[in-house]
């Protein structure tokens, strides 16, 4: 049985990530692949418990280092319990956020530095990486408008941080695309949803069996 592929979908708030996650899963399923959808923080019972700790409560609940450690701990459990077993079964794993969110949010925007957060991932998860990381990108005014139009979000601890924080998140994702161009691809998220899905599919084309 051939090993599956591991794809992460990333982006700031309000870039249409959930819609595209479902559409990409359907497109890959249509090609005969078994696809599982998962998310971070979360994706395994232990990591979902950590998710509540991270997203609920007020802004001062965790200091930046504690926050980064919790994300890293959740990710370690998610890989061990969900991602790696599925890949071994030959399934494709599509995750809503992964390591690059920590690099962009906690590393770049949170001020810990991308390298420090990558070190946590080396310790927690032996630097386990996706085969491909797709970063949806929209210009900021469009993304802000979309995020504000959604129900119940971004009311969580992190989504509600100021625009300057979210601008730094975007810069962090762009830095990762520059540093690791073979793994991390920036995808234009503007235009009709079907067009964006086609761009995503193209960006994983070389991984298809
Ligand atoms: P979620 O409700 O899943 O948001 P979204 O729809 O934007 O994906 O909440 C996840 C929040 O956690 C989101 O604001 C991004 C943030 N986050 C980090 O700060 N670091 C991380 O490593 C991950 C995975 C998420």
């Amino acid at each position: 049985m051939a090993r599956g592929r591991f794809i992460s979908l990333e982006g700031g708030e309000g870039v249409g990530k959930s819609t595209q996650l479902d559409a990409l899963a359907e497109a890959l399923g249509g090609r005969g692949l078994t696809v599982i959808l998962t998310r971070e923080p979360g994706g395994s019972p232990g990591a979902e418990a950590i998710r509540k700790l991270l997203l609920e409560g007020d802004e001062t609940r965790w200091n930046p280092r504690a926050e980064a450690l919790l994300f890293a701990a959740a990710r370690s459990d998610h890989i061990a319990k969900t991602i790696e077993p599925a890949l071994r079964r030959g399934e494709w794993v599509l995750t809503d956020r992964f390591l690059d969110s920590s690099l962009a949010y906690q590393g770049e925007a949170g001020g810990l530095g991308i390298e420090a957060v990558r070190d946590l991932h080396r310790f927690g998860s032996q630097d386990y990486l996706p085969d491909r990381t797709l970063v949806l990108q929209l210009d900021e005014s469009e993304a802000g408008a979309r995020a504000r139009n959604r129900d119940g979000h971004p009311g969580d601890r992190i989504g509600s941080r100021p625009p300057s924080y979210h601008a730094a998140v975007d810069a962090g994702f762009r830095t990762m695309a520059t540093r690791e161009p073979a793994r991390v691809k920036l995808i234009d998220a503007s235009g009709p949803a079907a067009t964006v899905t086609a761009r995503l599919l193209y960006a994983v084309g070389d991984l298809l069996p």
Side-chain angles (χ1 to χ4, degrees), residues 24-35 92 198 201-202 204-205 208-209:
L24 182 60
E26 200 176 305
L28 293 171
R31 288 166 186 244
L33 301 168
T34 304
V35 181
W92 280 49
L201 207 50
Y202 179 78
V204 299
L208 292 168

Side-chain angles (χ1 to χ4, degrees), residues 85-106:
L87 295 176
R88 288 221 187 111
R89 292 192 299 268
E91 294 165 8
W92 280 49
V93 176
L94 209 51
T95 183
D96 183 347
R97 299 192 181 282
F98 190 69
L99 169 68
D100 298 275
S101 277
S102 280
L103 300 174
Y105 283 78
Q106 285 66 48

Side-chain angles (χ1 to χ4, degrees), residues 62-70 106 110-112 120 157 161:
W62 305 108
N63 69 60
R65 286 166 194 273
E67 179 178 296
L69 285 162
L70 285 168
Q106 285 66 48
L112 296 175
L120 291 185
R157 273 186 70 247
R161 287 177 183 166

Side-chain angles (χ1 to χ4, degrees), residues 129-209:
L129 293 175
D131 294 298
R132 189 72 28 89
T133 295
L134 307 170
V135 182
L136 289 170
Q137 290 231 297
L138 267 191
D139 86 61
E140 238 170 273
S141 53
E142 208 178 327
R146 277 205 210 176
R148 278 189 295 277
N149 286 338
R150 280 191 297 173
D151 293 333
H153 198 81
D156 63 71
R157 273 186 70 247
I158 294 168
S160 58
R161 287 177 183 166
S164 58
Y165 183 91
H166 292 286
V169 167
D170 286 337
F173 283 129
R174 286 195 300 274
T175 298
M176 289 316 299
T178 307
R179 285 197 191 178
E180 294 180 48
R183 176 175 70 87
V184 184
K185 310 285 182 193
L186 299 179
I187 307 291
D188 175 8
S190 67
T195 308
V196 180
T197 309
R199 290 181 192 129
L200 292 171
L201 207 50
Y202 179 78
V204 299
D206 60 313
L207 301 177
L208 292 168

Side-chain angles (χ1 to χ4, degrees), residues 52-134:
K52 287 176 72 72
L53 297 175
L54 277 162
L55 299 184
E56 292 174 6
D58 61 81
E59 174 59 25
T60 56
R61 184 174 193 183
W62 305 108
N63 69 60
R65 286 166 194 273
E67 179 178 296
L69 285 162
L70 285 168
F71 276 113
R75 185 160 300 124
S76 177
D77 193 65
H78 184 206
I79 293 167
K81 302 278 173 52
T82 303
I83 299 171
E84 180 58 23
L87 295 176
R88 288 221 187 111
R89 292 192 299 268
E91 294 165 8
W92 280 49
V93 176
L94 209 51
T95 183
D96 183 347
R97 299 192 181 282
F98 190 69
L99 169 68
D100 298 275
S101 277
S102 280
L103 300 174
Y105 283 78
Q106 285 66 48
E108 181 74 30
L112 296 175
I114 285 176
E115 268 320 306
V117 175
R118 187 65 172 258
D119 282 343
L120 291 185
H121 187 59
R122 287 197 185 94
F123 176 76
S125 302
Q126 291 149 313
D127 209 32
Y128 192 97
L129 293 175
D131 294 298
R132 189 72 28 89
T133 295
L134 307 170

